[in-house]
Amino acid sequence: MLLNLSSSSYSLIKFANSRSPFTDFSVKYRTHFSKSQSSSSLCHSLTSSELSFKNRHQIFWEKSKIPFRRSGDFRLWAFAGIDIGSAQSVLEAAAVLTAIIVVHESGHFLAACLQGIHVSKFAIGFGPVLAKFNKNNVEYSIRAFPLGGFVGFPDNDPDSDIPMDDENLLKNRPILDRVLVISAGVIANIIFAYIIILIQVSSVGLPVQEPFPGVLVPEVRTLSAASRDGLLPGDVILAVNGNELPKLGSTAVSELVEAIKRSPNRTVLLKVERGQQDLEIGVTPDESFDGTGRIGVQLSPNVKISKLVAKNFLEAFSYSRKEFLGLSYNVLDSLKQTVLNFSQSASKVSGPVAIIAVGAEVARSNIDGLYQFAAVLNINLAVINLLPLPALDGGSLALILIEAARGGRKLPLELEQRIMSSGIMVVVLLGMFLIVRDTLNLEFIKDLL
């Protein structure tokens, strides 16, 4: 499971709740994330004895494309020291991730069982078995390493008593049957994502932002330049040095930050709305270590957030469709940006520990975010798994397409195993490296070291 945390835009998740130092310019979005980020993937590989599906998640969050509302951006711009937070939020995030894995593997499992194809194993995780039970000749297990899961088939299992020419072995089924089994995990995640969005639309509602002029100041650091010169929490900055700030939240924040950074030790004139009053306040930024100005505040787009709840089934399906299409668009767009800028994004890839940390932060913030966190991960999973790479569903599908192009002649078994095994090995090694690295990035671990 891999997570890509991009630093190119403002974070929806408030990492200010962590124990990292209060920054001089901490930009907060007081909104829910909606259209977003991402590329995630559950990797699958057809080996000699089992169809193995491993999770990789790269997540990128983009702005909403949905026409009836404007959403915040969930692309993390800072990731210095993850703070997982309360036990409840960690459990909620872990439950979401586990549910996504179970849904994905259940798709493969059901597609095989409904076609009468023999299945021998259903596992969540990899490596040593922590717990297991057997039912109807299928071993169900939970394993030690949380890198995904797999559905095992007895096709080339030397311990299986099923004849190798049995027509209900996966390898002996027609191409279409095998395509359905391999694609079923992706289909299950797409359906699950839509259901999650439908439940959100029908219950808690979708967050709708109404933008207002200026930039909100949620917090002012004690003894900072802003505090010294009279700026208060709750103020709305409407203009800087006589220039009105735009109504678009992220643009307004960027303009204000740049104006302050350009003015160390020089007074910046701010037009401030405080309650029913409009004030002119001169703030002299302190000079930071890199020579830029700083005033010690947190900034947020000045938006009012309301909830859009469907009034009937028609509205629910209409809103869900728009939300789903918007999320899917951003997942695909983020994948494209990752491919085009891989050298920059590769260093920001994180594993399941980071995914749970982000999910826990979302869970602490609001239930809306948790809904969309789950929906985005499902869509990410579906999109990345279709890439024609070893250890992904798309890699297995590519082998079947090659077989079809060869007139039904399969690639040599040894070559197929070598291709898939190499892909699995790379994913497992990378996953273990990321687990160790992300664990060392946790705030409480850093405090112990």
Side-chain angles (χ1 to χ4, degrees):
M1 227 169 288
L2 308 181
L3 176 69
N4 186 312
L5 301 178
S6 170
S7 61
S8 62
S9 54
Y10 304 118
S11 173
L12 237 249
I13 297 181
K14 299 184 290 183
F15 274 92
N17 291 338
S18 71
R19 286 174 287 176
S20 56
F22 190 109
T23 58
D24 290 291
F25 280 113
S26 177
V27 182
K28 282 188 180 180
Y29 264 55
R30 288 191 166 179
T31 116
H32 309 275
F33 72 91
S34 72
K35 289 298 173 278
S36 118
Q37 125 181 211
S38 143
S39 62
S40 54
S41 92
L42 202 58
C43 310
H44 315 283
S45 64
L46 184 60
T47 67
S48 59
S49 62
E50 64 185 10
L51 191 62
S52 174
F53 307 103
K54 300 179 175 58
N55 293 320
R56 298 170 58 210
H57 293 274
Q58 293 175 299
I59 301 177
F60 315 86
W61 310 91
E62 298 288 349
K63 290 186 175 150
S64 169
K65 303 295 180 182
I66 294 215
F68 62 87
R69 69 191 184 88
R70 182 174 173 273
S71 311
D73 194 349
F74 184 63
R75 187 176 286 181
L76 296 179
W77 70 286
F79 191 62
I82 311 167
D83 182 11
I84 284 188
S86 68
Q88 180 180 343
S89 62
V90 172
L91 290 175
E92 289 173 350
V96 167
L97 198 53
T98 302
I100 291 170
I101 296 170
V102 170
V103 165
H104 187 96
E105 303 308 332
S106 296
H108 296 294
F109 182 79
L110 291 175
C113 292
L114 292 175
Q115 296 183 84
I117 297 171
H118 297 301
V119 178
S120 59
K121 296 179 181 179
F122 183 101
I124 301 301
F126 297 95
V129 175
L130 301 179
K132 69 176 181 178
F133 69 92
N134 289 275
K135 184 176 181 181
N136 298 330
N137 298 318
V138 179
E139 179 190 277
Y140 299 86
S141 63
I142 297 176
R143 304 194 175 216
F145 303 121
L147 295 176
F150 65 87
V151 175
F153 298 87
D155 290 42
N156 297 289
D157 185 353
D159 297 326
S160 174
D161 57 2
I162 300 174
M164 288 296 98
D165 59 352
D166 190 311
E167 65 177 7
N168 288 323
L169 288 174
L170 180 65
K171 66 179 182 179
N172 296 332
R173 295 303 287 264
I175 287 177
L176 181 58
D177 291 355
R178 284 180 280 150
V179 167
L180 288 175
V181 172
I182 294 172
S183 304
V186 168
I187 295 171
N189 283 124
I190 291 174
I191 294 173
F192 191 35
Y194 185 84
I195 290 174
I196 290 170
I197 295 170
L198 185 62
I199 292 173
Q200 180 185 6
V201 167
S202 304
S203 55
V204 299
L206 293 172
V208 181
Q209 296 182 17
E210 181 182 357
F212 289 88
V215 174
L216 180 65
V217 182
E219 298 179 41
V220 177
R221 184 177 181 178
T222 304
L223 303 180
S224 65
S227 174
R228 181 177 63 241
D229 293 331
L231 209 58
L232 300 178
D235 286 348
V236 176
I237 301 173
L238 301 175
V240 53
N241 292 329
N243 298 316
E244 298 288 331
L245 293 173
K247 201 171 184 179
L248 294 176
S250 59
T251 304
V253 172
S254 298
E255 287 193 13
L256 178 57
V257 169
E258 288 303 314
I260 293 171
K261 289 174 71 174
R262 291 194 305 265
S263 307
N265 300 317
R266 298 200 309 267
T267 300
V268 175
L269 186 62
L270 303 178
K271 181 181 178 182
V272 174
E273 179 183 85
R274 181 177 296 167
Q276 302 299 319
Q277 294 180 310
D278 284 348
L279 308 173
E280 297 282 349
I281 297 178
V283 178
T284 304
D286 296 324
E287 185 173 353
S288 61
F289 67 92
D290 60 356
T292 60
R294 61 179 184 181
I295 61 174
V297 295
Q298 291 182 334
L299 303 174
S300 169
N302 188 21
V303 297
K304 178 182 178 182
I305 302 174
S306 58
K307 299 293 182 64
L308 183 65
V309 181
K311 299 181 179 65
N312 52 55
F313 285 115
L314 289 178
E315 280 194 357
F317 284 111
S318 175
Y319 294 164
S320 298
R321 179 182 62 84
K322 293 175 181 177
E323 181 78 353
F324 179 81
L325 291 176
L327 287 173
S328 300
Y329 173 87
N330 286 299
V331 167
L332 292 170
D333 183 64
S334 296
L335 175 60
K336 181 183 73 173
Q337 296 303 323
T338 302
V339 172
L340 296 178
N341 302 285
F342 184 76
S343 60
Q344 298 178 7
S345 59
S347 62
K348 300 179 179 68
V349 174
S350 301
V353 172
I355 294 176
I356 292 176
V358 173
E361 187 68 32
V362 173
R364 282 206 305 272
S365 300
N366 56 75
I367 189 64
D368 305 19
L370 197 58
Y371 274 108
Q372 295 202 324
F373 180 74
V376 166
L377 287 185
N378 274 283
I379 298 172
N380 291 338
L381 210 63
V383 170
I384 298 302
N385 268 313
L386 290 177
L387 295 178
L389 301 174
L392 295 175
D393 286 348
S396 298
L397 290 172
L399 291 177
I400 294 178
L401 292 177
I402 292 173
E403 177 186 333
R406 287 163 51 92
R409 291 183 297 115
K410 297 182 179 181
L411 291 175
L413 181 60
E414 183 180 351
L415 175 60
E416 183 177 310
Q417 289 178 345
R418 192 174 301 166
I419 292 172
M420 286 303 183
S421 297
S422 62
I424 293 172
M425 184 61 64
V426 169
V427 171
V428 170
L429 291 177
L430 179 59
M432 296 307 297
F433 165 76
L434 293 175
I435 286 176
V436 173
R437 191 197 67 182
D438 294 342
T439 300
L440 293 176
N441 255 342
L442 296 173
E443 287 294 340
F444 75 93
I445 296 294
K446 292 172 107 175
D447 289 345
L448 293 175
L449 297 178

